[in-house]
């Protein structure tokens, strides 16, 4: 669970910070191996870079490389934080007296970081290539012509659904938990619930007894259900609409 929660948390943050990563990549490649003042500066500062990229490449360009960035964040942070969490849970960070050992913590953190970075490095390279892609008038660095998914690919739709599902699941899981418990509670002879008096009572009892994270039980399962469910619903809707239109021609 540590791996999953760590990876999902990093992906959620990545959706909002990826535009800054695009800007950072472009500014770092600008003037590569060229003396200061001998090249055209397309991006004068962070704010000018945001404006220039949005104006020339379009606002969507500020999210270039998002798909590999999400995979990278999930792998790197999931492995890094998850591995460290396992080491902590296993008692490997304690010395022979049972006290917390700073040295062991540093070693475990370094090892977990190396593992995450090593496994995620190939994805990071693809992300960098995609984020550097731009129109010729503001291009910096070498321009790779990678394309993760064709524009009409079902894979693109699936990735988009999985990304958007992060926000949906985070917002809806507490309500889903409460509705599940209300539906599943035992009832008396008149059908009245024996555990909860209603939605507010279910929320308060859950938080009071299980803590705020009790409202997010099953979030991982909800996330991995919602993305495929969304794309499959759209796929079947599109196919049924096509068959209906073909039948009526």
């Amino acid at each position: 669970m540590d791996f999953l929660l760590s990876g999902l948390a990093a992906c959620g943050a990545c959706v909002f910070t990826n535009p800054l990563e695009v800007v950072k990549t472009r500014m770092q490649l600008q003037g590569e191996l060229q003396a200061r003042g001998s090249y055209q500066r397309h991006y004068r500062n962070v704010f000018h870079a945001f404006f220039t990229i949005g104006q020339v490449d379009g606002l969507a360009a500020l999210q270039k490389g998002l798909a590999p960035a999400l995979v990278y964040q999930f792998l790197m942070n999931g492995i890094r934080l998850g591995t460290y969490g396992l080491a902590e849970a296993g008692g490997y960070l304690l010395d022979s007296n049972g006290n917390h050992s700073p040295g062991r913590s540093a070693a475990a953190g370094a090892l977990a970081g190396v593992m995450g970075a090593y496994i995620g490095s190939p994805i990071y390279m693809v992300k960098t290539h995609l984020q550097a892609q731009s129109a010729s008038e503001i291009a910096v660095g070498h321009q790779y012509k990678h394309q993760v998914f064709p524009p009409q690919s079902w894979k693109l739709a699936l990735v988009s659904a999985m990304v958007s599902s992060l926000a949906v699941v985070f917002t809806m899981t507490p309500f889903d938990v409460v509705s599940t418990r209300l539906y599943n509670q035992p009832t008396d002879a008149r059908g009245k619930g024996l555990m909860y008096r209603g939605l507010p009572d279910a929320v308060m009892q859950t938080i009071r007894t299980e803590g705020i994270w009790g409202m997010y039980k099953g979030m991982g399962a909800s996330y991995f259900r919602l993305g495929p469910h969304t794309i499959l619903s759209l796929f079947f809707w599109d196919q049924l609409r096509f068959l209906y239109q073909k039948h009526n021609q």
Side-chain angles (χ1 to χ4, degrees), residues 72-113:
Y72 171 75
Q73 290 294 334
F74 187 86
L75 287 175
M76 186 190 70
N77 288 286
I79 292 171
R80 183 177 63 179
L81 299 179
T83 301
Y84 186 86
L86 289 177
E88 186 176 32
Y92 296 109
L93 307 185
L94 305 178
D95 58 23
S96 57
N97 297 321
N99 299 318
H100 185 269
S101 171
R104 291 192 176 192
S105 294
L111 179 61

Coordinates of all heavy atoms in Angstrom, one line a residue, residues 72-113:
Y72 N 6.9 8.1 -14.6 CA 8.2 8.3 -13.9 C 7.9 8.6 -12.4 O 8.6 8.0 -11.5 CB 9.0 9.4 -14.5 CG 10.2 9.9 -13.7 CD1 11.3 9.1 -13.7 CD2 10.2 11.1 -13.0 CE1 12.4 9.5 -12.9 CE2 11.3 11.5 -12.2 CZ 12.4 10.7 -12.2 OH 13.5 11.0 -11.5
Q73 N 7.0 9.5 -12.1 CA 6.7 9.9 -10.8 C 6.2 8.7 -10.0 O 6.5 8.5 -8.8 CB 5.7 11.0 -10.7 CG 6.3 12.4 -11.2 CD 7.3 12.9 -10.3 OE1 7.4 12.6 -9.1 NE2 8.2 13.7 -10.8
F74 N 5.3 7.9 -10.6 CA 4.7 6.8 -10.0 C 5.8 5.7 -9.6 O 5.9 5.2 -8.5 CB 3.7 6.1 -10.8 CG 2.9 5.0 -10.1 CD1 1.8 5.3 -9.4 CD2 3.3 3.7 -10.2 CE1 1.1 4.3 -8.7 CE2 2.6 2.7 -9.6 CZ 1.5 3.0 -8.8
L75 N 6.7 5.5 -10.6 CA 7.8 4.5 -10.4 C 8.8 5.0 -9.3 O 9.1 4.3 -8.3 CB 8.5 4.2 -11.7 CG 7.7 3.3 -12.7 CD1 8.5 3.2 -14.0 CD2 7.4 1.9 -12.1
M76 N 9.3 6.2 -9.6 CA 10.4 6.7 -8.7 C 9.9 6.9 -7.3 O 10.5 6.4 -6.3 CB 10.9 8.0 -9.3 CG 12.2 8.5 -8.5 SD 12.7 10.2 -8.9 CE 11.3 11.1 -8.2
N77 N 8.8 7.6 -7.1 CA 8.4 7.9 -5.7 C 7.7 6.7 -5.1 O 7.9 6.5 -3.9 CB 7.4 9.1 -5.8 CG 8.1 10.4 -6.0 OD1 8.8 10.9 -5.2 ND2 8.0 10.9 -7.2
G78 N 7.0 5.9 -5.9 CA 6.5 4.7 -5.3 C 7.6 3.8 -4.8 O 7.5 3.2 -3.7
I79 N 8.6 3.6 -5.6 CA 9.7 2.7 -5.1 C 10.5 3.4 -4.0 O 10.8 2.7 -3.0 CB 10.7 2.4 -6.3 CG1 9.9 1.6 -7.4 CG2 11.9 1.8 -5.9 CD1 10.7 1.4 -8.7
R80 N 10.8 4.7 -4.1 CA 11.6 5.4 -3.2 C 10.9 5.4 -1.8 O 11.5 5.0 -0.8 CB 11.9 6.8 -3.6 CG 12.8 7.6 -2.7 CD 13.1 8.9 -3.3 NE 11.9 9.7 -3.4 CZ 11.9 11.0 -3.9 NH1 13.0 11.5 -4.3 NH2 10.8 11.7 -3.9
L81 N 9.7 6.0 -1.7 CA 9.0 6.1 -0.5 C 8.5 4.7 0.0 O 8.5 4.5 1.2 CB 7.9 7.1 -0.6 CG 8.3 8.5 -1.0 CD1 7.1 9.4 -1.2 CD2 9.2 9.1 0.0
G82 N 8.1 3.9 -0.9 CA 7.6 2.6 -0.5 C 8.7 1.7 0.1 O 8.4 1.0 1.1
T83 N 9.9 1.7 -0.5 CA 11.0 0.9 0.0 C 11.4 1.4 1.4 O 11.7 0.7 2.3 CB 12.2 1.0 -1.0 OG1 11.7 0.5 -2.3 CG2 13.3 0.1 -0.5
Y84 N 11.5 2.7 1.5 CA 11.8 3.3 2.8 C 10.8 3.0 3.9 O 11.1 2.6 5.0 CB 12.0 4.8 2.7 CG 12.5 5.5 4.0 CD1 13.9 5.6 4.2 CD2 11.6 6.0 4.9 CE1 14.3 6.2 5.3 CE2 12.1 6.6 6.1 CZ 13.5 6.7 6.3 OH 13.9 7.2 7.4
G85 N 9.5 3.0 3.5 CA 8.5 2.6 4.4 C 8.6 1.2 4.9 O 8.3 0.9 6.0
L86 N 8.9 0.3 3.9 CA 9.1 -1.1 4.3 C 10.3 -1.3 5.2 O 10.2 -2.1 6.2 CB 9.3 -1.9 3.0 CG 8.1 -2.1 2.1 CD1 8.5 -2.9 0.8 CD2 7.0 -2.8 2.8
A87 N 11.4 -0.6 5.0 CA 12.5 -0.7 5.8 C 12.2 -0.2 7.3 O 12.6 -0.8 8.3 CB 13.7 0.2 5.3
E88 N 11.4 0.9 7.3 CA 11.0 1.4 8.6 C 10.0 0.4 9.3 O 10.2 0.2 10.5 CB 10.3 2.8 8.4 CG 9.9 3.5 9.7 CD 9.3 4.8 9.4 OE1 8.6 5.0 8.4 OE2 9.5 5.8 10.3
A89 N 9.1 -0.1 8.6 CA 8.1 -1.1 9.2 C 8.8 -2.3 9.7 O 8.4 -3.0 10.6 CB 7.0 -1.4 8.2
G90 N 9.9 -2.7 9.0 CA 10.6 -3.9 9.3 C 11.6 -3.7 10.5 O 12.3 -4.7 10.9
G91 N 11.7 -2.5 11.0 CA 12.6 -2.2 12.1 C 14.1 -2.1 11.7 O 15.0 -2.1 12.6
Y92 N 14.4 -2.0 10.4 CA 15.8 -1.9 9.9 C 16.4 -0.5 10.3 O 17.6 -0.3 10.1 CB 15.9 -2.1 8.4 CG 15.4 -3.5 8.1 CD1 14.2 -3.8 7.4 CD2 16.2 -4.6 8.4 CE1 13.8 -5.1 7.1 CE2 15.8 -5.9 8.1 CZ 14.6 -6.1 7.4 OH 14.2 -7.4 7.1
L93 N 15.6 0.5 10.7 CA 16.1 1.8 10.9 C 16.5 2.0 12.4 O 16.9 3.0 12.8 CB 15.1 2.9 10.5 CG 14.6 2.8 9.1 CD1 13.7 4.0 8.8 CD2 15.8 2.7 8.1
L94 N 16.3 0.9 13.2 CA 16.6 0.9 14.6 C 18.0 0.3 14.9 O 18.4 -0.7 14.3 CB 15.5 0.2 15.4 CG 14.1 0.7 15.2 CD1 13.1 -0.1 16.0 CD2 13.9 2.2 15.5
D95 N 18.6 0.8 15.9 CA 19.9 0.3 16.3 C 19.7 -0.9 17.3 O 18.5 -1.3 17.5 CB 20.8 1.3 17.0 CG 20.2 2.0 18.2 OD1 19.3 1.3 18.8 OD2 20.6 3.1 18.5
S96 N 20.8 -1.5 17.8 CA 20.7 -2.6 18.7 C 19.9 -2.4 20.0 O 19.4 -3.3 20.6 CB 22.1 -3.2 19.0 OG 22.9 -2.1 19.6
N97 N 19.8 -1.1 20.3 CA 19.1 -0.8 21.5 C 17.6 -0.4 21.3 O 16.9 0.0 22.2 CB 19.7 0.4 22.2 CG 21.2 0.1 22.7 OD1 21.4 -1.0 23.2 ND2 22.1 1.0 22.6
G98 N 17.2 -0.5 20.0 CA 15.8 -0.2 19.7 C 15.6 1.3 19.4 O 14.4 1.7 19.3
N99 N 16.6 2.1 19.4 CA 16.5 3.5 19.1 C 16.7 3.8 17.6 O 17.3 3.1 16.9 CB 17.5 4.3 19.9 CG 17.4 4.1 21.4 OD1 16.3 4.1 21.9 ND2 18.5 3.9 22.1
H100 N 16.0 4.9 17.2 CA 16.1 5.3 15.8 C 17.6 5.7 15.5 O 18.3 6.4 16.2 CB 15.2 6.5 15.5 CG 15.2 6.9 14.1 ND1 16.0 7.9 13.6 CD2 14.4 6.5 13.1 CE1 15.8 8.0 12.3 NE2 14.8 7.2 12.0
S101 N 18.1 5.1 14.3 CA 19.5 5.3 13.9 C 19.5 6.3 12.7 O 19.1 5.9 11.6 CB 20.1 4.0 13.5 OG 21.4 4.2 12.9
P102 N 20.1 7.5 12.9 CA 20.2 8.4 11.8 C 21.0 7.8 10.6 O 20.7 8.1 9.4 CB 20.9 9.6 12.4 CG 20.5 9.6 13.8 CD 20.5 8.1 14.1
G103 N 22.1 7.1 11.0 CA 22.9 6.5 9.9 C 22.2 5.5 9.1 O 22.3 5.5 7.8
R104 N 21.4 4.6 9.7 CA 20.6 3.6 9.0 C 19.5 4.3 8.2 O 19.2 3.9 7.1 CB 20.0 2.6 10.0 CG 21.0 1.7 10.6 CD 20.3 0.6 11.4 NE 21.3 -0.3 11.9 CZ 21.0 -1.5 12.4 NH1 19.7 -1.9 12.4 NH2 21.9 -2.3 12.9
S105 N 18.9 5.4 8.7 CA 17.9 6.1 8.0 C 18.5 6.7 6.7 O 17.9 6.6 5.6 CB 17.3 7.2 8.8 OG 16.6 6.6 9.9
A106 N 19.7 7.3 6.8 CA 20.3 7.9 5.7 C 20.7 6.9 4.6 O 20.5 7.1 3.4 CB 21.6 8.7 6.1
A107 N 21.2 5.7 5.1 CA 21.5 4.6 4.2 C 20.3 4.1 3.5 O 20.3 3.8 2.2 CB 22.3 3.5 4.9
A108 N 19.2 3.9 4.2 CA 18.0 3.4 3.6 C 17.4 4.4 2.6 O 16.9 4.0 1.5 CB 17.0 3.0 4.7
G109 N 17.4 5.6 3.0 CA 16.9 6.7 2.1 C 17.7 6.7 0.8 O 17.2 6.9 -0.3
A110 N 19.1 6.6 1.0 CA 19.9 6.7 -0.2 C 19.7 5.5 -1.1 O 19.6 5.6 -2.4 CB 21.4 6.8 0.2
L111 N 19.6 4.3 -0.5 CA 19.4 3.1 -1.3 C 18.0 3.2 -2.1 O 17.9 2.8 -3.2 CB 19.5 1.9 -0.4 CG 19.2 0.5 -1.1 CD1 20.3 0.3 -2.2 CD2 19.2 -0.6 -0.1
A112 N 17.0 3.6 -1.3 CA 15.7 3.7 -1.9 C 15.7 4.7 -3.1 O 15.1 4.5 -4.1 CB 14.7 4.1 -0.9
G113 N 16.4 5.8 -2.9 CA 16.5 6.9 -3.9 C 17.2 6.4 -5.1 O 16.8 6.7 -6.3

